[in-house]
Amino acid sequence: MCGIIAYVGDREAQPILLDGLSRLEYRGYDSAGLAVHTAGGLRVQKKAGRIAALSAAVARQPVSSTSGISHTRWATHGEPTDANAHPHLDQSGNIALVHNGVIENFHELKQALTLQGHVFHSATDTEVLAHLIGEHYEKLATLSGVARLSAAVRAALGEVDGTYGIAVIHRDLPNVVIGARRGSPLVVGIGATEKFLSSDAAALAPYTQKVVYLKDFDFVTLQPGQFDLQNLGGRDTDYEIKELDFKPEAAEQGAFAHFMLKEIFEQPETIRNAMRGRVDKDTATAHLGGLNLTGEQLRDLRRIIVLGCGTALYAGMVGKHMIENAALLPVETDFSSEFRYRNTPLENDTLFFVVSQSGETADTLGALREAQRKGHRALGICNNVGSTIARESDGGVYMHAGPEIGVAATKSFISQATVFALLALKLGRLRHLSASAGGEIIEALEKLPAQVEVILQQSDAIKNIAEKYADSRSMLFFGRLGNYPVALEGALKMKEISYLHAEGYPSSELKHGVIALIDKKTPSVVIAPHDSLYDKNMNSLQEIKARCGPVICLTTCGGRDTGHLADEVIKIPQTLELLQPILNVVPLQLLAYHTAAALGRDIDKPRNLAKSVTVE
Ligand code: M6R
């Protein structure tokens, strides 16, 4: 939700800010703006629409500057207009602010400031914070320079409820940027003679590999040759300078038409990266050292609860099937947003897993904190190293999937599902699972990357199917057991990027109501691998055909061939029933991608969405 990038240094700031914004555009893309220091004061430019509109405006009136702040927006308060775009100025026009988060008490603050004579020019909560900082700045006339601005920002933040990641500049303090965070991510990028502040480390990769991930209540002052990190209260705070674990190319689109397609095609490597160094063939188990739990503690678990949102939750639902089957350990899954407000009966010996690619999803972070507040150990399955969830969880497993830029999650699902397979193996081997059964799982896991390659080779065939059905108004997805969450994920992908109405159901639910939706114009995707429920899935398929519904059947090679019953058949390699969902999701990602492409959708930046949902 919104991307911030700020720069102080010895290079021209505007090109760096615009480049950074384009790398953060996946976080929000309804309007963008920047403010830079110039010899004549602050230069602010803001535009509704994509960053290209801002770049064009800047190109028409370029200025020389070596410091500034910038923002790409996902609207919460106020429509996407030039006026509501960030940066926002204080009453004097001397202070500029960009903000990611929500100021919950902005209404009360705005009323009070209005009574004091402040005039607002936008509908945003952010402008209220800018004015509040300005109000304190005026009152702090006994201070000067950076100390005065810092004190004003601190005082204002002390009055706000809600979440923020902010960057602030003052016209009289060129080459100074102040940043602070509470609930919204910020990362400092460190160069010898330049410093950066960004919502996401991936945007910094072309400029520096050295970063500091800010914690809640961190307060940072950036100058070209130094940065000063304290907490909001003004005390020095511990920090660690980390090396980025990916190269800039990892966040580039390369020769692919979209990031989403690139990320789909990266999935063989994604699986390898999730498994690297974690499989022990000798003992037929997995090593997941970050769990921070002894074998005995893992064996004594009575229940696991997996929490996440969207794709991350669906990967958790696949994980439930894997763990329950391999380890005979009960697993529940829940939406993070529901769990955090629910009176869930919890027993001792319950372990939580929170799943999040970004590690910044507000609902999942809230759920993690709620589980910990109730005295439970909560582990993270995250991609972003240094993210808030990764830091606040009691341990966990990194996905090592590299940056995922496409708003529609793809490789993160496969990575999370692979991590759950390793977890199922480990928990299984600590319980009843034999060495030979564990060995079979490892052998099958190792074959997955090559099997995904085989599916990717069918991209053109899937494109033909997608083009045939792209003008449908609605599409239904059916699957059972571990493939039910795959059906949900297939439907989510279809909705998100093609805007077709799509729903996922367990196949057996068809006859309990959904069947009323079947007609000649409503295609159904039936996931029917040759597994223990193949025949039952075929019954569902026949029921759809009997009502003249077109069927796209996703099945596995080998086994009985009943594919002729379907209108379209996508055949993919077979693996263990436990792992089959990992393969089955890939054709559905391609189906959604090619449908959206046929409809001319903006695939990497679908309407109304943002990659990382850092507001409730
Ligand atoms: O970063 P997270 O994994 O916590 O994100 C969770 C969801 O917001 C995310 O998976 C969302 O559903 C995707 N846009 C799905 O493609």
Side-chain angles (χ1 to χ4, degrees):
M1 299 282 119
C2 303
I4 289 174
I5 184 131
Y7 176 77
V8 285
D10 47 11
R11 292 195 261 176
E12 282 296 333
Q14 282 186 334
I16 292 175
L17 297 177
L18 288 169
D19 175 64
L21 285 184
S22 69
R23 294 171 194 280
L24 293 173
E25 198 172 15
Y26 69 89
R27 299 179 64 86
Y29 33 84
D30 60 40
S31 53
L34 53 76
V36 292
H37 289 105
T38 71
L42 293 181
R43 161 70 73 85
V44 181
Q45 283 169 295
K46 343 200 265 183
K47 278 272 161 224
R50 297 290 163 86
I51 286 156
L54 176 67
S55 297
V58 169
R60 281 194 293 277
Q61 294 176 301
V63 288
S64 187
S65 170
T66 54
S67 61
I69 58 178
S70 62
H71 186 269
T72 180
R73 181 168 184 248
W74 185 85
T76 56
H77 296 64
E79 289 174 16
T81 59
D82 288 359
N84 288 335
H86 300 209
H88 289 283
L89 299 177
D90 76 323
Q91 179 82 351
S92 70
N94 293 333
I95 295 171
L97 164 76
V98 290
H99 168 224
N100 172 23
V102 174
I103 306 299
E104 286 169 2
N105 58 338
F106 87 102
H107 192 64
E108 297 88 306
L109 293 169
K110 191 171 185 173
Q111 276 181 331
L113 288 164
T114 304
L115 287 175
Q116 292 169 58
H118 286 251
V119 178
F120 294 92
H121 305 283
S122 79
T124 64
D125 52 338
T126 303
E127 191 186 12
V128 176
L129 178 56
H131 279 241
L132 192 59
I133 293 170
E135 181 68 23
H136 282 288
Y137 190 85
E138 291 308 316
K139 289 182 189 150
L140 288 162
T142 53
L143 297 174
S144 62
V146 181
R148 184 172 175 186
L149 183 61
S150 299
V153 175
R154 285 194 159 102
L157 292 179
E159 286 183 47
V160 302
D161 296 332
T163 55
Y164 52 79
I166 57 167
V168 188
I169 55 175
H170 191 290
R171 62 167 283 163
D172 298 337
L173 296 170
N175 282 325
V176 174
V177 170
I178 285 180
R181 74 155 274 177
R182 177 184 175 186
S184 301
L186 279 180
V187 190
V188 175
I190 304 165
T193 55
E194 55 188 359
K195 303 289 173 284
F196 306 79
L197 193 63
S198 172
S199 301
D200 182 347
L204 301 178
Y207 302 103
T208 179
Q209 295 288 301
K210 286 192 173 18
V211 298
V212 174
Y213 294 93
L214 298 191
K215 304 184 293 296
D216 274 354
F217 303 108
D218 276 353
F219 188 96
V220 69
T221 308
L222 303 179
Q223 290 176 282
Q226 65 181 78
F227 71 97
D228 181 29
L229 183 50
Q230 296 186 326
N231 64 20
L232 198 54
R235 290 180 195 278
D236 286 345
T237 178
D238 289 343
Y239 64 85
E240 205 183 328
I241 297 178
K242 296 217 168 181
E243 286 284 326
L244 290 183
D245 65 345
F246 55 86
K247 298 284 169 236
E249 314 80 79
E252 305 283 352
Q253 195 171 312
F256 287 90
H258 297 95
F259 275 107
M260 181 182 177
L261 193 61
K262 177 189 179 224
E263 287 155 9
I264 291 172
F265 273 77
E266 278 173 358
Q267 292 180 115
E269 194 54 21
T270 308
I271 296 173
R272 285 188 203 101
N273 288 342
M275 285 171 55
R276 186 160 293 123
R278 289 173 169 165
V279 166
D280 184 343
K281 284 189 184 171
D282 291 341
T283 52
T285 189
H287 290 309
L288 299 168
L291 299 181
N292 297 335
L293 289 166
T294 63
E296 198 176 3
Q297 286 172 311
L298 288 169
R299 207 175 35 244
D300 288 347
L301 290 175
R302 291 279 164 270
R303 189 159 73 137
I304 287 179
I305 299 182
V306 181
L307 305 171
C309 304
T311 293
L313 176 62
Y314 299 153
M317 291 166 73
V318 170
K320 167 187 166 75
H321 283 269
M322 292 171 166
I323 296 171
E324 289 189 341
N325 279 303
L328 301 182
L329 177 63
V331 181
E332 285 170 30
T333 59
D334 202 353
F335 297 99
S336 303
S337 53
E338 288 292 295
F339 169 80
R340 62 187 296 199
Y341 296 116
R342 194 200 296 287
N343 295 326
T344 307
L346 295 172
E347 293 148 9
N348 295 339
D349 313 324
T350 297
L351 177 66
F352 282 81
F353 277 94
V354 294
V355 189
S356 175
Q357 186 282 131
S358 62
E360 300 292 351
T361 299
D363 285 320
T364 303
L365 181 59
L368 164 73
R369 289 175 177 163
E370 182 62 16
Q372 289 174 328
R373 216 174 280 130
K374 288 181 165 142
H376 290 271
R377 192 185 287 259
L379 305 180
I381 297 179
C382 292
N383 195 28
N384 273 356
V385 175
S387 59
T388 311
I389 292 176
R391 270 207 317 268
E392 292 196 14
S393 51
D394 303 301
V397 188
Y398 275 122
M399 293 154 55
H400 299 310
E404 188 179 63
I405 309 289
V407 166
T410 50
K411 63 176 179 174
S412 59
F413 178 92
I414 225 166
S415 182
Q416 288 154 356
T418 306
V419 167
F420 274 113
L422 295 173
L423 200 55
L425 173 64
K426 183 171 183 71
L427 292 167
R429 291 287 292 129
L430 286 166
R431 292 159 171 255
H432 75 288
L433 199 73
S434 68
S436 59
E440 264 177 47
I441 293 176
I442 292 175
E443 208 178 304
L445 275 167
E446 287 181 333
K447 285 186 185 147
L448 289 177
Q451 292 177 315
V452 173
E453 298 282 5
V454 171
I455 301 170
L456 295 175
Q457 282 160 18
Q458 297 181 57
S459 181
D460 284 345
I462 294 171
K463 181 174 177 224
N464 291 338
I465 298 174
E467 286 171 353
K468 190 166 163 190
Y469 295 97
D471 62 354
S472 309
R473 287 191 49 221
S474 182
M475 205 176 271
L476 301 171
F477 290 74
F478 297 99
R480 295 193 74 165
L481 304 180
N483 290 311
Y484 164 51
V486 174
L488 291 172
E489 175 61 5
L492 179 61
K493 289 293 88 92
M494 190 59 80
K495 280 185 266 218
E496 271 187 305
I497 58 166
S498 77
Y499 316 149
L500 248 73
H501 171 255
E503 298 299 337
Y505 295 97
S507 317
S508 51
E509 279 296 296
L510 177 67
K511 53 195 177 296
H512 297 294
V514 195
I515 202 161
L517 297 175
I518 303 292
D519 64 19
K520 273 191 266 190
K521 292 187 176 158
T522 307
S524 295
V525 178
V526 178
I527 306 170
H530 288 93
D531 61 12
S532 54
L533 292 182
Y534 178 75
D535 289 335
K536 298 203 184 297
N537 278 317
M538 281 300 135
N539 290 344
S540 306
L541 191 155
Q542 303 255 35
E543 285 160 13
I544 297 167
K545 284 310 307 169
R547 273 106 192 144
C548 301
V551 170
I552 302 164
C553 179
L554 173 58
T555 188
T556 43
C557 302
R560 198 147 46 89
D561 191 2
T562 33
H564 60 279
L565 296 172
D567 299 82
E568 322 291 339
V569 181
I570 303 171
K571 281 198 177 177
I572 65 167
Q574 175 120 30
T575 179
L576 296 181
E577 190 164 338
L578 188 83
L579 303 178
Q580 193 67 46
I582 297 180
L583 295 180
N584 291 352
V585 77
V586 180
L588 303 190
Q589 296 167 342
L590 287 168
L591 187 67
Y593 173 82
H594 288 303
T595 304
L599 293 169
R601 305 299 191 220
D602 192 348
I603 293 180
D604 284 334
K605 298 181 192 74
R607 69 183 180 204
N608 305 336
L609 291 173
K611 178 75 179 158
S612 172
V613 187
T614 54
V615 293
E616 247 198 281

